[in-house]
Amino acid sequence: MHRSLKHAFFILLILTSSRVFALGGDFTLTSHENKPYSLADSRGHVVVISFGYTFCPDICPTALATISSALNRMGKAAEQVDPLFISVDPDRDTPETLSKYTPYFHPRLIGLTGDADTIAEIAKRYYVRYQFVGKGERDNYTVDHTASLYVIDKRGKLMAVLPHGLPPQALADSLMNALSLPAQ
């Protein structure tokens, strides 16, 4: 990892552990099963969140494959982890689109979408940045977006922000660490 990226990553981890810096929080979106899903629905489980979009050519498939591989490495413990994929492109990523996309990566992966304002508010709380490139000019626009993974503990609190490109075993270790902590 590049030195300045490491530095920014560790600062972010320090800031997320501070009471002054509020990062994350509960939300309610629509799942790929076209049902409401709230982060509170996963209390007692560890959650890993990836923000992205289904038309993403490389970053999102890589992140979701990393999540899948990490869960597969965890064995039975993976049943206590809820993997989430939050789309930042609600115009194209309908529940139907997500229902076809998410099973390619992991059967337990929950695809989430909502209206543009709700997605923007959630992204802001997680410090996820995204910007549409070519939207309105062409159908196959892209979205530049934050590629971090967010680990939420059993109480629903953000525990770690992990960089894109992390090996699956490192993610599995982070999830196992989160599972080892008490739920209270």
Side-chain angles (χ1 to χ4, degrees):
M1 186 183 323
H2 188 270
R3 185 175 177 183
S4 63
L5 181 58
K6 276 186 184 178
H7 184 69
F9 174 67
F10 289 117
I11 289 173
L12 183 57
L13 285 178
I14 291 166
L15 291 174
T16 59
S17 65
S18 166
R19 293 177 192 238
V20 177
F21 188 78
L23 184 67
D26 202 2
F27 55 80
T28 300
L29 291 168
T30 302
S31 78
H32 68 270
E33 295 176 337
N34 208 19
K35 297 178 182 175
Y37 171 88
S38 172
L39 186 59
D41 295 339
S42 290
R43 291 299 185 271
H45 281 202
V46 168
V47 175
V48 58
I49 301 174
S50 176
F51 288 83
Y53 66 113
T54 63
F55 288 81
C56 183
D58 50 13
I59 300 293
C60 297
T62 300
L64 296 177
T66 298
I67 291 171
S68 178
S69 182
L71 293 173
N72 291 339
R73 291 166 187 256
M74 293 173 64
K76 198 132 175 87
E79 294 174 13
Q80 299 174 58
V81 177
D82 292 340
L84 307 180
F85 175 66
I86 299 177
S87 173
V88 296
D89 186 13
D91 290 343
R92 292 187 293 190
D93 291 344
T94 64
E96 181 181 358
T97 301
L98 289 168
S99 73
K100 293 174 185 171
Y101 184 77
T102 57
Y104 286 116
F105 297 98
H106 198 275
R108 297 194 49 247
L109 181 63
I110 301 169
L112 297 170
T113 190
D115 64 72
D117 291 338
T118 301
I119 297 291
E121 196 276 322
I122 294 166
K124 182 178 177 182
R125 281 193 274 134
Y126 282 83
Y127 280 68
V128 170
R129 304 287 183 238
Y130 61 98
Q131 180 178 359
F132 296 96
V133 179
K135 187 173 182 178
E137 300 167 15
R138 58 185 189 266
D139 290 337
N140 62 344
Y141 60 87
T142 60
V143 185
D144 291 338
H145 61 88
T146 301
S148 301
L149 297 177
Y150 300 80
V151 177
I152 312 297
D153 70 16
K154 296 176 199 174
R155 297 170 298 144
K157 303 293 182 199
L158 182 65
M159 184 175 158
V161 180
L162 305 174
H164 178 71
L166 194 68
Q169 187 60 54
L171 175 58
D173 292 345
S174 179
L175 295 171
M176 291 298 284
N177 182 48
L179 285 171
S180 72
L181 300 174
Q184 296 177 356

